[in-house]
Amino acid sequence: MAFPAGFGWGASTAAYQVEGGWDADGKGPSVWDTFTHQGGERVFQNQTGDVACGSYTLWEEDLKCIKQLGLTHYRFSLSWSRLLPDGTTGFINQKGIDYYNKIIDDLLTNGVIPIVTLYHFDLPQALEDKGGWLSEAIIESFDKYARFCFSMFGDRVKQWITINEPNILAIMAYDLGVFPPGVPHFGTGGYQAAHNLIKAHARSWHSYDSFFRKEQKGMVSLGIFAGWAEPADTNSVSDQEAAKRAIAFCLDFFAKPIFIDGDYPEVVKSQIAFMSKKQGYPSSRLPKFTEEEKRMIKGTADFFAVQYYTSRLVKYQENKKEVGFLQDVELQVFPDPSWKRLDWVYVVPWGIRKLLKYIKDTYNNPVIYITENGFPQGDPASLDDTQRWEYFRQTFQELFKAIQLDKVNLKLYCAWSLLDNFEWTRGYSSRFGLFHVDFEDPARPRVPYTSAKEYAKIIRNNGLKESL
């Protein structure tokens, strides 16, 4: 099962999850610094990313891991508040620029292509204080930050992700309030944030296109989280419709405006309008794009970056009056009892193939990058994660089928994650790393799991040894 020549094999991390050095060398606070320091058991055992993997001082150790695997690509994110402590270019932190310059230069020296995410959940606290993603002012702030990064690093970085998982951020941070700033706005905040996230992405893409592309010749997209949804009863029309809605509200909500026509899916607009009316709202809780905004948003991605972990069965469930993003979709999600489970991830490798085929058919056969996919290690005390590796292997078989049989234009796979790290509200209790990190040891030693050694063989062979 040799993958196409030139196929990219990578691994991903994110600044807040690995760097530590939360206030080192002039870095400003991010919303995750504030949120975790407030305590209140909103994160597992009140853990923080203050030190995390210590990558701010231990980058050389990360580089050793990258070289040990033989990665062709490494995806990491920039800490907005490490570069611009108050979120604006009014004060620029040179130490932050130096840190990321070193990472980029070291990767290129070692023949590894950097994929750089501008923003991975860690908004500068100074911007959150002005309304964060609920405020339209954030669009201009993000665009200025993006231009700053393109001008600083774009001579060497050719693959950019503007925003990581805007769909997850909008729901978790601004609808449910379980991510910072930690204030729920059920049924309204998620949509307002999503609206601004889409416009901010589009603005920054246009900035790249107008001012940097000609000289730098790079590509810009955003990383959308997507699971696969399968109707619980394949003979039930209401379950089939519910499964379509699940995909529309998760993936298409962001992908259709950006890749197709600048506007939300019809089913999303009609469903939220219907629920809003039922609940006595004078108009839909979903904001509208103007015609000018639609033109600005349409076509603002140079490749399709998707992040897949798991799938669910979906059943229709009527919602009478409850207000919330999840309630608007009118469905119930649950796993098949036969699916194996690791933490929150149910192992459904065939789901990724179905998702890739859906993207190919719906979005005009784009170049696709899988910028995250992975499984947590079931037993954190053991470096032998043979069972987890088996799930990776099954996933690679499905990717191979997607490329060979479905003719999906998949060019890159990035495992989440290079290292065990701070997994948001799960803290350090959930371990997705190819390398084990001992968070009790101040030196934060990185030791390869069995998966790391096996992944290195896949990369060396550009695929699996066995045939389909």
Side-chain angles (χ1 to χ4, degrees), residues 17-123:
Q17 295 179 269
V18 300
E19 282 180 7
W22 76 275
D23 62 349
D25 294 340
K27 178 185 169 292
S30 79
V31 290
W32 274 93
D33 295 319
T34 306
F35 187 74
T36 55
H37 294 169
Q38 285 165 347
E41 293 294 336
R42 295 186 295 188
V43 174
F44 178 76
Q45 291 182 357
N46 283 328
Q47 292 170 340
T48 77
D50 288 3
V51 181
C53 306
S55 293
Y56 184 62
T57 50
L58 297 172
W59 158 246
E60 272 83 5
E61 297 306 309
D62 295 354
L63 184 61
K64 284 178 195 166
C65 298
I66 290 165
K67 289 166 74 171
Q68 206 172 323
L69 290 169
L71 297 182
T72 62
H73 294 69
Y74 178 57
R75 174 178 170 241
F76 65 97
S77 82
L78 306 174
S79 163
W80 188 341
S81 63
R82 193 179 295 289
L83 290 164
L84 308 177
D86 69 357
T88 77
T89 49
F91 175 64
I92 294 166
N93 181 19
Q94 186 58 43
K95 288 276 176 66
I97 297 172
D98 296 344
Y99 173 62
Y100 295 118
N101 271 333
K102 179 157 176 51
I103 292 178
I104 293 162
D105 292 344
D106 285 354
L107 288 171
L108 292 170
T109 300
N110 286 282
V112 182
I113 295 167
I115 301 175
V116 178
T117 306
L118 292 175
Y119 167 65
H120 196 125
F121 297 174
D122 51 348
L123 192 68

Side-chain angles (χ1 to χ4, degrees), residues 356-368:
L356 291 171
K357 176 81 163 63
Y358 177 84
I359 293 168
K360 178 197 172 195
D361 294 346
T362 311
Y363 294 102
N364 196 23
N365 192 19
V367 167
I368 303 174

Side-chain angles (χ1 to χ4, degrees), residues 209-352:
D209 201 49
S210 302
F211 306 117
F212 300 97
R213 187 187 300 276
K214 192 169 173 226
E215 197 173 304
Q216 296 182 357
K217 300 179 174 58
M219 300 192 298
V220 179
S221 190
L222 78 173
I224 305 175
F225 172 91
W228 182 250
E230 197 75 8
D233 178 354
T234 48
N235 296 316
S236 157
V237 173
S238 62
D239 284 9
Q240 288 170 11
E241 292 302 315
K244 285 179 189 164
R245 276 200 307 282
I247 293 165
F249 270 77
C250 180
L251 176 72
D252 302 333
F253 193 108
F254 283 82
K256 181 178 168 283
I258 287 161
F259 287 88
I260 304 286
D261 63 1
D263 200 9
Y264 298 116
E266 288 306 318
V267 67
V268 166
K269 293 195 288 187
S270 62
Q271 182 72 14
I272 298 169
F274 167 68
M275 295 304 296
S276 301
K277 190 175 178 187
K278 196 154 94 166
Q279 291 151 349
Y281 282 82
S283 59
S284 176
R285 288 178 275 105
L286 179 69
K288 288 185 170 70
F289 292 120
T290 65
E291 291 307 312
E292 190 184 347
E293 284 171 341
K294 289 177 194 174
R295 286 193 295 275
M296 190 265 292
I297 293 162
K298 176 184 173 180
T300 54
D302 304 316
F303 56 95
F304 200 115
V306 68
Q307 315 199 156
Y308 171 90
Y309 287 89
T310 191
S311 296
R312 289 287 190 276
L313 300 179
V314 172
K315 194 173 184 55
Y316 169 67
Q317 183 175 331
E318 187 188 0
N319 173 36
K320 299 252 188 320
K321 285 284 185 185
E322 239 184 303
V323 178
F325 171 85
L326 300 170
Q327 291 77 7
D328 280 341
V329 199
E330 289 201 298
L331 48 76
Q332 189 185 355
V333 296
F334 50 92
D336 185 302
S338 69
W339 294 347
K340 299 278 191 299
R341 180 182 178 178
L342 290 170
D343 197 355
W344 60 273
V345 177
Y346 288 90
V347 180
V348 194
W350 53 259
I352 201 167

